Amino acid sequence: MSYVSTPPVSSPPFSFDSHNGFHIYDKDRHQVYKRCEPKKLHDLLTYDEEAAKYTKAGKLRKNPPRHTDETQHFYVAQLTHYGLKPTKSKQAAKSTLLAAYDSEEGLLVPKHILRLEKDLESEFRAKQAVLLEKKKIKEEKQREQDEKQRQKRKRDEDTLLAEVEEASKSSLSRKKQKGKPKQLDIHKISGTYTIVAKQVPDGWNCQGPLKLKLAPSSTARHLRGSFDFGVFEGKMRSSTKPKDSIIRFHWRGRETGEGESTYGPENVATLEFLPNGIFKGRMYWDCLGEFDLQGKLEAGSSEDGDLEGGVEDWKHEYWSINDANYERERVGRWGGWAGDSDDDEVESNSDTE
């Protein structure tokens, strides 16, 4: 049966819930007292510390068992569980319980308390069933919504992939024409891209859409980027000048679960920019290997002023993911301390690296 958090039902001083069953809850001490079975309770009441030091053969034990008696509140709660009149002291409670054992009927749970236990459990199960049904309906609606989103994302991805294929054909046709190819203008390819990277969603059950932002550095020497691919995210820096509409990037980032950083030389992405604000390429991540990705520039995103303002932050985050900070974070994950300031590999105001 599926689990659903269900509040306890009560008939003071008794309550019932899924974790503790039938019990008494002391709200002042935040303590639960369940009914102790007669044999175990009798063992507690008749425990002889001196006798416990010896074996059944009468030999002194080398390591006699440790015994910790229950509290006053425990024994008073047992009086209530067994329908006996509560007392104000621990010793009086224990004496009353022992006396019940010695009575003609013995220590028994009264029928009205057993009936109350049954009634409270029935009430709790009915309440739980209602909540389970509500949860089931909610989950079904969520599944339907998720499926609609999945189908829409698939349609959007198929549309983008078709546009990539058409743009690739157009680019190839242009290359076959005579004349020197035009230099790629990094300002025109700046903006926010919707990304299709089928191996990422399929392999990691990510929720799309994936996003990549690109913008030139302050001197336009580099094209910098910021991406969020669900299971991992990071910052990019172009490592080559545009050549035949192709730009090679190095990236540094983190997987979003544990937050462990990755920044090795193998973290590369090669993007080919095609007509109509489209690119295709390949990217490497050590947790996934090399995978294909395609992107389409969102309308109007090239004029987004936030891109220009974010470049310096991207740059700082890129350079701050390095050996020194990796070690600091590694020590921190194990509860140690290795400093509290980020180390950048280059000056933050430099745009030459």
Side-chain angles (χ1 to χ4, degrees), residues 14 24 34-39 41 75-85 97 100-101 106-110 112-113:
F14 297 103
I24 295 172
K34 295 190 283 187
R35 183 168 64 233
C36 187
E37 293 305 312
K39 183 180 183 309
L41 182 57
Y75 286 113
V76 172
Q78 297 310 308
L79 291 173
T80 305
H81 271 296
Y82 284 96
L84 301 172
K85 185 178 179 180
L97 288 165
Y101 276 102
L107 185 67
L108 298 174
V109 181
H112 74 276
I113 292 181

Side-chain angles (χ1 to χ4, degrees), residues 138-245:
K138 183 178 180 180
E139 289 175 343
E140 183 60 32
K141 288 182 178 179
Q142 186 62 51
R143 280 193 293 270
E144 292 175 359
Q145 184 178 346
D146 290 345
E147 179 59 21
K148 289 180 180 179
Q149 291 178 348
R150 191 188 70 80
Q151 292 291 346
K152 181 181 183 302
R153 187 166 65 248
K154 185 178 184 305
R155 290 193 300 270
D156 293 343
E157 288 178 349
D158 290 343
T159 299
L160 194 153
L161 291 175
E163 292 180 11
V164 170
E165 184 177 358
E166 185 64 29
S168 296
K169 292 179 181 178
S170 175
S171 178
L172 182 61
S173 176
R174 292 181 183 182
K175 288 180 181 179
K176 290 181 178 180
Q177 297 176 0
K178 293 182 179 181
K180 186 177 180 180
K182 293 182 179 180
Q183 182 69 27
L184 187 63
D185 185 346
I186 63 174
H187 292 87
K188 289 185 178 180
I189 60 173
S190 297
T192 300
Y193 289 80
T194 298
I195 302 298
V196 174
K198 284 188 170 291
Q199 289 167 279
V200 175
D202 291 344
W204 295 85
N205 194 28
C206 278
Q207 295 296 321
L210 312 183
K211 297 290 183 179
L212 165 65
K213 296 180 178 181
L214 295 175
S217 62
S218 58
T219 62
R221 177 168 180 169
H222 295 288
L223 188 62
R224 294 193 175 272
S226 175
F227 64 87
D228 183 354
F229 290 172
V231 291
F232 74 112
E233 60 186 9
K235 309 304 173 190
M236 304 172 72
R237 169 185 177 271
S238 61
S239 53
T240 60
K241 293 182 178 181
K243 183 179 180 181
D244 295 334
S245 300

Side-chain angles (χ1 to χ4, degrees), residues 52-335:
K53 295 179 181 179
Y54 297 89
T55 66
K56 290 182 179 180
K59 294 183 179 181
L60 187 65
R61 297 178 187 272
K62 292 182 179 180
N63 297 301
R66 291 185 176 183
H67 175 71
T68 302
D69 198 9
E70 295 288 352
T71 65
Q72 170 196 341
H73 306 289
F74 167 84
Y75 286 113
V76 172
Q78 297 310 308
L79 291 173
T80 305
H81 271 296
Y82 284 96
L84 301 172
K85 185 178 179 180
T87 64
K88 293 185 178 181
S89 72
K90 178 177 179 177
Q91 191 56 47
K94 295 176 78 169
S95 297
T96 302
L97 288 165
L98 277 172
Y101 276 102
D102 295 334
S103 67
E104 184 177 344
E105 297 83 6
L107 185 67
L108 298 174
V109 181
K111 291 182 180 179
H112 74 276
I113 292 181
L114 291 174
R115 186 165 53 251
L116 176 61
E117 180 178 355
K118 186 176 181 180
D119 290 345
L120 285 179
E121 181 174 7
S122 297
E123 182 183 348
F124 178 83
R125 299 304 177 196
K127 189 175 183 180
Q128 188 179 51
V130 171
L131 293 175
L132 280 170
E133 183 61 25
K134 289 182 178 180
K135 180 184 178 184
K136 181 180 177 182
I137 293 172
K138 183 178 180 180
E139 289 175 343
E140 183 60 32
K141 288 182 178 179
Q142 186 62 51
R143 280 193 293 270
E144 292 175 359
Q145 184 178 346
D146 290 345
E147 179 59 21
K148 289 180 180 179
Q149 291 178 348
R150 191 188 70 80
Q151 292 291 346
K152 181 181 183 302
R153 187 166 65 248
K154 185 178 184 305
R155 290 193 300 270
D156 293 343
E157 288 178 349
D158 290 343
T159 299
L160 194 153
L161 291 175
E163 292 180 11
V164 170
E165 184 177 358
E166 185 64 29
S168 296
K169 292 179 181 178
S170 175
S171 178
L172 182 61
S173 176
R174 292 181 183 182
K175 288 180 181 179
K176 290 181 178 180
Q177 297 176 0
K178 293 182 179 181
K180 186 177 180 180
K182 293 182 179 180
Q183 182 69 27
L184 187 63
D185 185 346
I186 63 174
H187 292 87
K188 289 185 178 180
I189 60 173
S190 297
T192 300
Y193 289 80
T194 298
I195 302 298
V196 174
K198 284 188 170 291
Q199 289 167 279
V200 175
D202 291 344
W204 295 85
N205 194 28
C206 278
Q207 295 296 321
L210 312 183
K211 297 290 183 179
L212 165 65
K213 296 180 178 181
L214 295 175
S217 62
S218 58
T219 62
R221 177 168 180 169
H222 295 288
L223 188 62
R224 294 193 175 272
S226 175
F227 64 87
D228 183 354
F229 290 172
V231 291
F232 74 112
E233 60 186 9
K235 309 304 173 190
M236 304 172 72
R237 169 185 177 271
S238 61
S239 53
T240 60
K241 293 182 178 181
K243 183 179 180 181
D244 295 334
S245 300
I246 296 176
I247 302 180
R248 185 179 177 88
F249 294 85
H250 178 261
W251 67 272
R252 303 183 183 194
R254 303 178 184 279
E255 58 90 15
T256 53
E258 296 294 328
E260 185 171 354
S261 59
T262 175
Y263 49 91
E266 69 278 4
N267 286 3
V268 296
T270 303
L271 307 183
E272 179 182 1
F273 291 86
L274 305 169
N276 303 320
I278 289 172
F279 75 73
K280 64 178 181 178
R282 293 183 67 77
M283 187 172 182
Y284 180 87
W285 179 36
D286 55 0
C287 291
L288 190 62
E290 195 172 39
F291 59 93
D292 294 323
L293 72 162
Q294 299 82 23
K296 182 177 181 180
L297 188 62
E298 296 180 358
S301 64
S302 296
E303 288 76 38
D304 187 353
D306 291 338
L307 289 176
E308 183 177 349
V311 170
E312 283 301 312
D313 290 336
W314 303 350
K315 176 183 175 181
H316 170 72
E317 289 183 48
Y318 174 90
W319 289 116
S320 67
I321 300 175
N322 52 47
D323 286 334
N325 288 327
Y326 178 88
E327 181 61 18
R328 180 180 293 112
E329 293 165 4
R330 184 192 67 79
V331 173
R333 280 193 293 272
W334 289 95

